[in-house]
Amino acid sequence: EKVKDKFPEPESFESAMSKLEEVLRKLESGQVSLEGSLEVYSEAKFLAGWCYKKLSSIQGELKKLGLDENGGFSLEEFPSLD
């Protein structure tokens, strides 16, 4: 069974981050069995990868407002995620 078939597609980046935080709290609690930890880890890995892909796909669309040497405004690229 593929990981993406095992876990539902997040509705949004914010919901994915919220779920990722919840999953990480479960792992950190130490109250999950070894088998359960592997399942939770797989979900965390899926969510982190989904968020990374989402950020990568919009990276080229994001610009940072800055000042040029003449005191005017300029748009600058954000640094790459890689």
Side-chain angles (χ1 to χ4, degrees):
E1 183 176 6
K2 293 181 180 180
V3 173
K4 69 178 185 176
D5 296 334
K6 202 172 195 180
F7 304 111
E9 184 85 7
E11 295 176 17
S12 66
F13 180 81
E14 293 77 13
S15 66
M17 288 298 295
S18 177
K19 182 66 176 172
L20 182 57
E21 290 170 359
E22 177 187 320
V23 167
L24 292 175
R25 280 194 295 274
K26 281 184 193 176
L27 279 175
E28 291 172 346
S29 76
Q31 297 179 1
V32 182
S33 68
L34 178 59
E35 293 82 14
S37 292
L38 292 174
E39 180 74 15
V40 172
Y41 174 79
S42 292
E43 185 175 12
K45 188 175 174 183
F46 167 76
L47 290 167
W50 188 91
C51 289
Y52 180 82
K53 286 178 191 170
K54 192 64 136 177
L55 287 173
S56 294
S57 72
I58 64 167
Q59 181 181 9
E61 298 174 32
L62 298 176
K63 306 284 185 210
K64 180 171 62 172
L65 186 60
L67 292 175
D68 63 23
E69 56 270 354
N70 299 323
F73 292 106
S74 64
L75 293 176
E76 303 169 7
E77 299 287 328
F78 273 98
S80 174
L81 292 174
D82 297 326

